[in-house]
């Protein structure tokens, strides 16, 4: 598979490095020579200096032979022109474009059906707001993914050292949970993050206090499963948003339709005036979200949730730590630099959102081979959960899972058959049109892709 990436910024860098590790033929175009040098020094990828909005550069990159064009520069205009030119030079190439301006929201469908025929528009602000809603809907969760139209939840929670599940082997978990919570079936645990290590646990593996435990749950059983891990479902009624940029505005606008009290703190006076004019029920405050006196004046100790969404991640980190110290019950912190992710839990920040990671998750969904419906990255780039469709032409259909040669580091975590949700066992068989949820470590993803392309989908 040949993929052309226009833009070597944070999103372009990480998507190119990820796809190259999966043995895809990737060409990256950018006008910034330093960005290309950084990429070529780190990743075995072909780079091309120039603009993706230049037809000669696209032809030199091999657009006629490319299956996918990813236009992910920081300029909406460059991304649109790159897709328009690709549409003329190679109509069969699938085009994905990152568009960040809210002014394009109403035109996504038109871009699909008319020139430049963009197959998928990626707005990372919209994606991260959806992530925020998922996190807010499951208090106590560090990471949340939804599959089968929300019927199945993939949830990450930290296991407290004092939890009765700490130091319990996975094979003993069903009995321990049954004793503690009669009638509750133990959820499937496909992944555990311990320090810097991503583990696909087996029956003899032991859960440890401090582990980030990922489990699969049916929607109607989620409250029970959260209680198993000592997490209570408390709804946030008072929310403080620090940062009134595009993400903060979109989130506040959405929350105005819910029965919650919302305040925004924004440093820029002109932006405050804009927010006050556009928002109806949100209280807009001019000030610095890391100002302790201001936070105390606004009764930060009464806030159920504080969300730091400024464009400066250092400010977000400091503000999150400060509001927690001043009494806010929970925080969600916006982080853009991937290098910061491993540090967050160490300094006491559990819930993190990233517009760039949200954009990458959307991109991966559309570059995966096979009928992949959605994807979710785990621990940055260490693992991935994907939902795919099994077709009647598949070798995997009707075969017991224990007889299927999945690559090491991959596991079937759930099956959706019509309205029925199946937590799979070794004897479980996949049937035509089942939606299959697969978890895989980074090293296992190429093997899973092969299964999705060859066995889950007839070519």
């Amino acid at each position: 598979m040949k993929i052309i990436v226009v833009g070597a910024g944070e999103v372009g860098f990480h998507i190119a490095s990820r796809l190259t590790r999966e043995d895809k033929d990737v060409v990256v175009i950018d006008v910034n020579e330093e960005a290309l040098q950084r990429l070529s020094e780190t990743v075995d990828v072909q780079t091309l200096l120039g603009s993706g909005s230049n037809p000669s550069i696209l032809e030199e990159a091999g657009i006629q032979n490319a299956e996918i064009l990813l236009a992910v520069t920081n300029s909406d205009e460059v991304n649109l022109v790159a897709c328009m030119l690709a549409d003329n030079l190679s109509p069969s190439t699938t085009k994905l474009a990152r568009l960040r301006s809210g002014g394009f929201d109403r035109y996504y469908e038109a871009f699909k059906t008319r020139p430049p025929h963009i197959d998928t528009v990626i707005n990372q602000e919209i994606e991260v707001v959806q992530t925020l809603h998922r996190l807010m809907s499951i208090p106590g969760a560090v990471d949340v993914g939804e599959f089968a139209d929300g019927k199945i939840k993939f949830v990450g929670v930290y296991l407290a050292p004092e939890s009765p599940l700490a130091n319990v082997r996975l094979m003993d978990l069903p009995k321990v949970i049954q004793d503690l919570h009669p009638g509750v079936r133990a959820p499937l645990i496909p992944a555990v993050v311990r320090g810097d290590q991503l583990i696909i646990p087996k029956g003899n593996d032991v859960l440890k206090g401090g582990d980030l435990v990922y489990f699969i749950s049916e929607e109607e059983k989620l409250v029970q499963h959260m209680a198993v891990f000592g997490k209570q479902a408390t709804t946030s009624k008072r929310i403080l948003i620090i940062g009134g940029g595009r993400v903060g505005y979109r989130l506040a606008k959405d929350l105005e339709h819910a029965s919650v009290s919302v305040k925004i703190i924004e440093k820029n006076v002109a932006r405050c005036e804009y927010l006050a004019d556009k928002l109806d029920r949100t209280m807009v405050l001019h000030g610095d979200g890391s100002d302790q006196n201001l936070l105390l004046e606004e009764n930060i100790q009464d806030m159920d949730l504080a969300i730091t969404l400024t464009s400066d991640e250092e400010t977000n980190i400091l503000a999150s730590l400060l509001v927690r110290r001043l009494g806010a019950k929970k925080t969600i912190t916006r982080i853009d630099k991937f290098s910061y992710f491993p540090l967050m839990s160490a300094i006491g920040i559990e819930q993190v959102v990233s517009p760039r990671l949200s954009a990458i998750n959307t991109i991966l969904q559309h570059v995966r081979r096979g009928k992949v419906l959605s994807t979710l990255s785990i621990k940055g780039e260490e693992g991935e959960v994907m939902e795919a469709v099994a077709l009647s032409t598949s070798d995997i259909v009707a075969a017991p899972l224990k007889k299927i040669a999945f690559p090491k580091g991959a596991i079937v975590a759930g099956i959706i058959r019509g309205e029925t949700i199946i937590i799979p066992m070794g004897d479980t068989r996949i049937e035509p049109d089942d939606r299959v949820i697969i978890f895989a470590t980074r090293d296992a993803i190429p093997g899973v892709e092969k299964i999705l392309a060859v066995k889950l989908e007839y070519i």
Side-chain angles (χ1 to χ4, degrees):
M1 175 184 286
K2 179 166 187 172
I3 300 173
I4 296 176
V5 179
V6 179
E10 196 80 5
V11 172
F13 177 92
H14 283 278
I15 199 69
S17 60
R18 191 155 175 169
L19 295 175
T20 301
R21 283 197 302 265
E22 298 168 13
D23 299 324
K24 292 181 173 62
D25 181 9
V26 181
V27 180
V28 180
I29 301 170
D30 201 290
V31 294
N32 188 323
E33 191 169 3
E34 290 183 4
L36 291 177
Q37 184 176 351
R38 172 194 173 217
L39 182 61
S40 60
E41 289 175 351
T42 310
V43 184
D44 183 17
V45 63
Q46 181 182 344
T47 60
L48 186 59
L49 181 64
S51 174
S53 60
N54 184 327
S56 298
I57 294 294
L58 287 177
E59 287 184 321
E60 186 178 348
I63 186 65
Q64 284 86 356
N65 299 318
E67 291 186 42
I68 297 173
L69 173 82
L70 304 176
V72 293
T73 74
N74 289 327
S75 168
D76 292 346
E77 291 74 18
V78 169
N79 295 339
L80 281 169
V81 173
C83 289
M84 180 185 70
L85 292 172
D87 191 42
N88 279 275
L89 296 171
S90 180
S92 62
T93 298
T94 299
K95 297 171 288 298
L96 288 78
R98 181 170 71 153
L99 301 179
R100 300 191 297 171
S101 172
F104 292 116
D105 289 1
R106 293 181 296 148
Y107 300 97
Y108 291 172
E109 287 303 316
F111 289 154
K112 289 182 182 180
T113 56
R114 302 181 220 166
H117 297 111
I118 300 173
D119 298 271
T120 301
V121 173
I122 302 154
N123 185 314
Q124 61 192 50
E125 278 84 20
I126 293 176
E127 300 288 344
V128 82
V129 168
Q130 291 173 347
T131 301
L132 285 166
H133 282 301
R134 288 196 295 270
L135 287 172
M136 287 188 287
S137 70
I138 309 177
V142 175
D143 210 352
V144 179
E146 293 185 346
F147 301 100
D149 304 317
K151 297 187 183 76
I152 288 186
K153 309 289 188 183
F154 185 80
V155 183
V157 295
Y158 277 107
L159 187 66
E162 66 274 13
S163 169
L165 304 187
N167 303 312
V168 173
R169 292 186 306 174
L170 251 66
M171 67 172 61
D172 300 326
L173 207 59
K175 183 180 185 307
V176 173
I177 290 176
Q178 190 64 226
D179 291 341
L180 294 168
H181 303 271
V184 177
R185 181 180 176 184
L188 176 66
I189 299 177
V192 173
V193 176
R194 183 172 298 154
D196 292 331
Q197 186 181 11
L198 176 64
I199 303 166
I200 294 187
K202 297 181 173 60
N204 285 321
D205 286 320
V206 176
L207 296 179
K208 299 287 187 181
D211 284 351
L212 175 53
V213 180
Y214 283 92
F215 66 89
I216 294 282
S217 177
E218 300 168 49
E219 186 176 27
E220 61 268 21
K221 296 178 181 177
L222 183 60
V223 173
Q224 293 178 338
H225 288 152
M226 289 295 287
V228 161
F229 289 96
K231 311 296 181 182
Q232 302 301 319
T234 55
T235 304
S236 297
K237 293 294 185 182
R238 294 174 296 277
I239 298 174
L240 174 67
I241 300 172
I242 297 176
R246 288 195 295 254
V247 176
Y249 167 69
R250 285 181 184 272
L251 178 62
K253 193 73 174 175
D254 285 355
L255 291 174
E256 287 192 331
H257 300 293
S259 56
V260 296
S261 170
V262 182
K263 294 180 181 180
I264 289 184
I265 297 177
E266 167 59 40
K267 291 176 67 172
N268 184 282
V269 174
R271 185 64 180 175
C272 284
E273 292 173 353
Y274 174 86
L275 294 170
D277 180 58
K278 295 293 184 181
L279 297 169
D280 297 323
R281 298 174 50 218
T282 301
M283 180 181 293
V284 180
L285 303 169
H286 174 241
D288 186 341
S290 59
D291 184 337
Q292 179 171 321
N293 291 329
L294 175 60
L295 293 170
L296 290 172
E297 287 175 10
E298 295 304 322
N299 301 312
I300 186 64
Q301 70 277 3
D302 295 331
M303 290 294 170
D304 298 317
L305 175 64
I307 308 172
T308 56
L309 297 173
T310 77
S311 57
D312 184 279
E313 50 210 337
E314 286 80 7
T315 297
N316 294 338
I317 292 169
L318 291 173
S320 291
L321 294 173
L322 178 59
V323 297
R324 281 300 297 271
R325 188 172 69 83
L326 294 176
K329 297 178 181 64
K330 296 183 181 69
T331 62
I332 302 177
T333 309
R334 171 181 172 170
I335 300 294
D336 286 320
K337 291 179 183 173
F338 288 86
S339 58
Y340 283 10
F341 275 64
L343 305 175
M344 292 300 100
S345 60
I347 63 174
I349 293 177
E350 293 186 350
Q351 291 188 309
V352 173
V353 294
S354 167
R356 289 169 179 167
L357 184 58
S358 296
I360 288 171
N361 282 334
T362 303
I363 291 169
L364 288 174
Q365 172 186 340
H366 295 281
V367 301
R368 290 277 170 252
R369 294 187 183 276
K371 283 196 171 294
V372 175
L373 304 178
S374 59
T375 64
L376 175 69
S377 295
I378 301 299
K379 199 178 180 291
E381 300 176 328
E382 294 302 312
E384 192 173 313
V385 189
M386 59 187 78
E387 179 184 359
V389 177
L391 302 181
S392 58
T393 51
S394 166
D395 292 340
I396 202 174
V397 168
L401 288 177
K402 62 185 178 184
K403 293 187 177 180
I404 297 170
F406 277 91
K408 182 181 179 181
I411 182 175
V412 176
I415 299 169
I416 305 97
R417 183 171 300 151
E419 296 299 316
T420 303
I421 297 168
I422 302 167
I423 302 300
M425 308 292 286
D427 293 327
T428 304
R429 298 168 183 264
I430 296 173
E431 296 183 0
D433 298 321
D434 282 353
R435 292 160 74 171
V436 184
I437 299 171
I438 299 173
F439 173 80
T441 61
R442 181 176 66 186
D443 293 338
I445 288 173
V448 171
E449 269 205 305
K450 186 176 180 181
I451 292 173
L452 291 176
V454 177
K455 294 186 178 180
L456 287 182
E457 183 180 36
Y458 177 76
I459 298 179

